[in-house]
Amino acid sequence: MNRSHKILWVSKMNQMKRIQNGLIVIFSVIAVAFYFSQPKRPVPVITPPLASNLVLYVVDEEYDILLKPISVACMDTKDCILKSYQKMSEKPYGVLPENAMIQDLLLEEGKLKIYFDPSFLSMKLQKQKEALLWYFLQFEDVKQVQIYVDDIPWKWNLYSDSKRVFSTDFRLFTGDLYASMPMIFFSYKTIDQKEYETVETIRIPQTEDVEQMARWLLQVQAKPLAQIKNVTVDQNKVTVSFKGQVEQTEMKHWLIPFAHSLLVLPQVDEVACYHEEILIIQLQNK
């Protein structure tokens, strides 16, 4: 090959490489454009479980209902129930039968439907039923609870509303049962040097006056030296002013349960307690 032919051949080869590189660039641009023009599959957003503060309602050997706060990592009401309900079958505070399993769980428009297997039917004690109903009603989006066993509705034989469970086993604080009204009463109980909040039903004289209810609650406590100075109700907030002696060491033994008892009234969403014009406790519904 002479020199002129060699130069011509090299020139053609370089021209072909430039064309080839140009085509590669063009196809690359087309491929990238095609990729970005395609609809993308949505990337699933995984919400991590949050720590939810729940309350287990359990029954002790004296058939008192004890409140046991726990923390559960769950995402919603159904998830919280499925991850915590079996703890109420643990000894020594058994509410549910040991092998009771939830087969299905539905929550629609505030009504919770729970389908248990037949082992659930071995739960007979009234206090167990109360504790279980209290447990389910603690969730903000649960207003009614219906249990089914083999698709047959199970009867609670309890009266309840969206915030309270009333027992037929109660303490009576009036001589006229027919002119009385049920009220939820929280208090503290010591077991093995540990303190638990308890819940029960009492009956007091019929009244719609929140101040009278508060005075009855304090009277049932029977321990504090403090007296109620006045009670005011502003919309859904109840403010209670105390006078007299309030010891810090005994305050939690009656003041916190006192406030809880007022907080479950249907017309109350917030409770504030003052002593000598100083705020000592303030609680509100979620």
Side-chain angles (χ1 to χ4, degrees):
M1 181 181 298
N2 58 34
R3 180 179 178 82
S4 61
H5 286 171
K6 186 175 182 180
I7 292 173
L8 181 60
W9 181 82
V10 171
S11 175
K12 288 183 176 180
M13 290 297 295
N14 290 337
Q15 186 179 7
M16 290 179 65
K17 285 184 178 180
R18 286 195 297 270
I19 294 172
Q20 185 179 19
N21 291 336
L23 290 174
I24 291 174
V25 171
I26 292 172
F27 283 119
S28 297
V29 171
I30 293 173
V32 171
F34 178 78
Y35 172 78
F36 283 106
S37 69
Q38 298 303 301
K40 300 297 183 294
R41 293 182 180 180
V43 178
V45 178
I46 301 175
T47 304
L50 301 176
S52 297
N53 296 319
L54 305 179
V55 176
L56 297 182
Y57 292 81
V58 297
V59 180
D60 68 6
E61 295 178 353
E62 297 177 342
Y63 301 108
D64 288 326
I65 297 176
L66 312 179
L67 283 62
K68 295 183 64 177
I70 63 169
S71 181
V72 179
C74 50
M75 294 179 290
D76 54 27
T77 295
K78 292 170 63 176
D79 190 40
C80 289
I81 291 173
L82 292 174
K83 289 181 177 177
S84 63
Y85 82 97
Q86 284 185 307
K87 293 182 181 294
M88 289 191 297
S89 65
E90 296 176 357
K91 296 179 180 180
Y93 306 114
V95 172
L96 282 169
E98 188 173 357
N99 298 317
M101 301 296 294
I102 292 179
Q103 297 175 329
D104 199 3
L105 189 66
L106 301 175
L107 179 57
E108 297 176 348
E109 298 180 352
K111 186 167 185 178
L112 179 65
K113 296 181 180 180
I114 310 160
Y115 295 81
F116 275 97
D117 69 348
S119 63
F120 177 84
L121 295 176
S122 62
M123 190 181 74
K124 302 292 186 182
L125 296 177
Q126 184 76 357
K127 287 295 183 180
Q128 290 176 306
K129 299 176 183 179
E130 290 179 42
L132 188 60
L133 189 51
W134 271 111
Y135 164 77
F136 289 128
L137 288 176
Q138 74 181 293
F139 298 99
E140 187 176 1
D141 51 353
V142 175
K143 307 304 179 186
Q144 294 179 319
V145 183
Q146 179 62 65
I147 286 178
Y148 295 85
V149 179
D150 286 337
D151 292 328
I152 299 174
W154 182 78
K155 294 182 179 181
W156 287 98
N157 293 325
L158 290 171
Y159 169 66
S160 67
D161 57 28
S162 61
K163 297 168 66 176
R164 299 173 295 176
V165 180
F166 297 108
S167 175
T168 55
D169 181 10
F170 53 80
R171 284 194 287 163
L172 184 63
F173 290 90
T174 175
D176 189 351
L177 174 62
Y178 295 100
S180 69
M181 60 173 280
M183 191 168 186
I184 298 302
F185 176 67
F186 290 89
S187 60
Y188 271 114
K189 181 176 183 178
T190 302
I191 301 176
D192 296 332
Q193 298 182 337
K194 293 183 179 180
E195 291 185 335
Y196 298 90
E197 195 170 10
T198 68
V199 60
E200 64 175 307
T201 301
I202 62 174
R203 293 192 74 94
I204 64 173
Q206 185 76 39
T207 181
E208 295 182 0
D209 186 351
V210 175
E211 180 173 358
Q212 290 300 318
M213 297 180 196
R215 293 185 183 279
W216 269 106
L217 288 171
L218 194 64
Q219 181 177 331
V220 174
Q221 290 284 0
K223 292 182 180 180
L225 298 176
Q227 298 176 346
I228 291 178
K229 183 178 179 180
N230 59 62
V231 177
T232 60
V233 181
D234 183 9
Q235 295 183 351
N236 290 14
K237 179 179 179 179
V238 175
T239 301
V240 183
S241 297
F242 290 98
K243 61 182 180 179
Q245 185 177 355
V246 177
E247 295 289 344
Q248 289 289 336
T249 55
E250 71 165 12
M251 183 182 298
K252 71 175 184 178
H253 293 281
W254 62 270
L255 190 56
I256 294 177
F258 171 86
H260 283 176
S261 300
L262 289 175
L263 198 59
V264 296
L265 293 174
Q267 66 269 42
V268 178
D269 288 327
E270 184 176 355
V271 176
C273 297
Y274 289 80
H275 178 247
E276 305 297 345
E277 312 304 324
I278 298 174
L279 179 65
I280 49 180
I281 187 174
Q282 187 167 6
L283 300 175
Q284 57 183 225
N285 288 322
K286 297 178 181 179

